[in-house]
Amino acid sequence: MSQRSDLRQRRATLESEWSRLVPRLKTAGLASSGADALRHEVTESWARSLSSVDPGRDSAPVTDGGTVGHRWANSPLREPVDDLADELRGVADDAGFVTAVTDESGTILWTCGGRTMRRRAERVNFAPGGWWHEQAMGTNALSLALRTGRPNSVFSAEHLVTALHGWVCYCAPVHGPDGRVLGVLDMSTTWDRSNPLAMSTVRSLVSAIEARLRAEPPRQAHGTPGQVHLTCLGSDQALCEGRPLRVRPRQLEILTLLALEPDGFPSGRLREALYGDRPVSASTFKAEISHLRRALGGGITTRRYALTTPVSCDAVDVLRALENGDVETALRLYRGPLLPRSAAPGIEEWRTHLEVAVREAVLASAHPEHALRYGERAPYDAEVHEHALRVLGRGDPRRAIVAGRLSTALRD
């Protein structure tokens, strides 16, 4: 069976299940008289996600091995959610819901609710570390809210994944003061507990979170004036609140290595990652660490070197996207080799790792756009061009471009 016919059959099966459920929902007063057809945004979401998500999967994939404590600790949503935690728990307990907060990628960072409902939710990995992006779990309220930037609910068989047909979810995105979506707040329960007031409750709670985000200054970590943003793919720049962080190239290498290895380094291993076999004194090495620590406001631990200051890093974002199967995001962020001017052994090792990981993800992808985009940056990679030709349709006019690239790569 071809992929296209397989997708058609899956969609027909899901639509049939929805049609079977509608009369029962109307009798229970849980669906209106106009609910015979699926909503347009739901069918569009099915069409997008059926090629990558099996409706028969039993739970959401795991992000970062399910350990997301460090991401929650550095999330701008943590403090306002902590302020409202008692209210969030009270609403969840009283109504029999599980409440969850995600980051902008759709990864759940925090949940609350009664023990019974949380256990049910954990069976489908609706729990910290679960990844609920459309690419991972198909049509659900979290993914629709992230995609549209608007509140959304998904009821029973509107979910793409069959294991979620027993659930109803109400969700709204949380916007930062600059308008950027920082994550979503979701309240979920079994479909028979559907409550018409749930969506207004979610909206009110999100409004309260957003009000706290506007009222409070950004959190400062260990004296740092703001979060550090590290751009090290095809570039070498560290910014703090939009201004350059005054660090030397060697200190930028240290910062990059610490961002890529959040568990940190023993002193000897970090020194080796920076200098290899070069005879560099311990005082020189410690001076570089001390200067970087001062620039970060004390954001590096002393015995085992690790970051305590929030540092966002484009290389880390690429690796996270690849772990989540999000090749599109990885390619968008991968703008070139890691710290291209660095000769530090540890940086060279990570540089190779990133290059190989991105290339292998492209070769494993069935989407021609991935091979086409990567092929622009790798004109002499014949294997990538051959892969592009395999996944492009025979009538696709872009085949001519790829054929030209392949000819040049083989000739040279």
Side-chain angles (χ1 to χ4, degrees), residues 19-33:
S19 298
R20 178 186 60 78
L21 189 60
V22 164
R24 178 179 168 192
L25 300 180
K26 288 180 178 178
T27 300
L30 299 173
S32 67
S33 58

Side-chain angles (χ1 to χ4, degrees), residues 213-349:
L213 288 169
R214 290 190 299 269
E216 297 176 2
R219 280 189 300 129
Q220 297 184 2
H222 302 276
T224 306
Q227 182 166 344
V228 175
H229 179 69
L230 181 58
T231 304
C232 52
L233 294 174
S235 181
D236 50 2
Q237 185 180 54
L239 298 176
C240 182
E241 293 187 337
R243 295 187 295 272
L245 190 68
R246 296 184 180 277
V247 292
R248 294 190 288 267
R250 183 66 73 192
Q251 293 147 19
L252 191 62
E253 292 170 344
I254 297 171
L255 185 58
T256 301
L257 288 168
L258 294 179
L260 285 164
E261 300 201 30
D263 291 336
F265 290 80
S267 174
R269 193 163 78 83
L270 181 57
R271 185 174 170 181
E272 182 181 349
L274 290 170
Y275 305 107
D277 296 331
R278 292 175 53 198
V280 175
S281 68
S283 60
T284 298
F285 168 63
K286 289 181 179 179
E288 299 284 11
I289 297 289
S290 296
H291 189 285
L292 179 59
R293 185 180 285 118
R294 285 195 299 273
L296 296 175
I300 302 177
T301 55
T302 52
R303 293 188 178 180
R304 180 182 180 90
Y305 297 123
L307 290 172
T308 59
T309 292
V311 175
S312 64
C313 174
D314 54 355
V316 174
D317 292 340
V318 166
L319 292 170
R320 184 175 297 150
L322 292 175
E323 289 172 0
N324 291 333
D326 188 356
V327 182
E328 183 74 23
T329 297
L331 282 174
R332 176 172 54 82
L333 296 174
Y334 186 73
R335 292 177 289 269
L338 182 74
L339 295 184
R341 293 184 288 185
S342 172
I347 295 294
E348 291 180 334
E349 183 177 342

Side-chain angles (χ1 to χ4, degrees), residues 28 38 56 74 81 98 113 120 143 188 213 217 220 226 249 263 266 287 308 346 363:
L38 279 163
N74 294 326
V81 168
V98 174
R120 288 184 179 180
S143 66
S188 295
L213 288 169
Q220 297 184 2
D263 291 336
T308 59
L363 291 175

Side-chain angles (χ1 to χ4, degrees), residues 161-173:
V161 173
T162 306
L164 305 179
H165 287 187
W167 290 85
V168 57
C169 307
Y170 305 90
C171 193

Side-chain angles (χ1 to χ4, degrees), residues 186-209:
D186 179 283
M187 291 178 59
S188 295
T189 189
T190 52
W191 71 263
D192 55 316
R193 291 174 177 261
S194 173
N195 190 320
L197 299 178
M199 182 56 80
S200 62
T201 301
V202 169
R203 289 174 182 265
S204 297
L205 290 168
V206 166
S207 294
I209 292 171

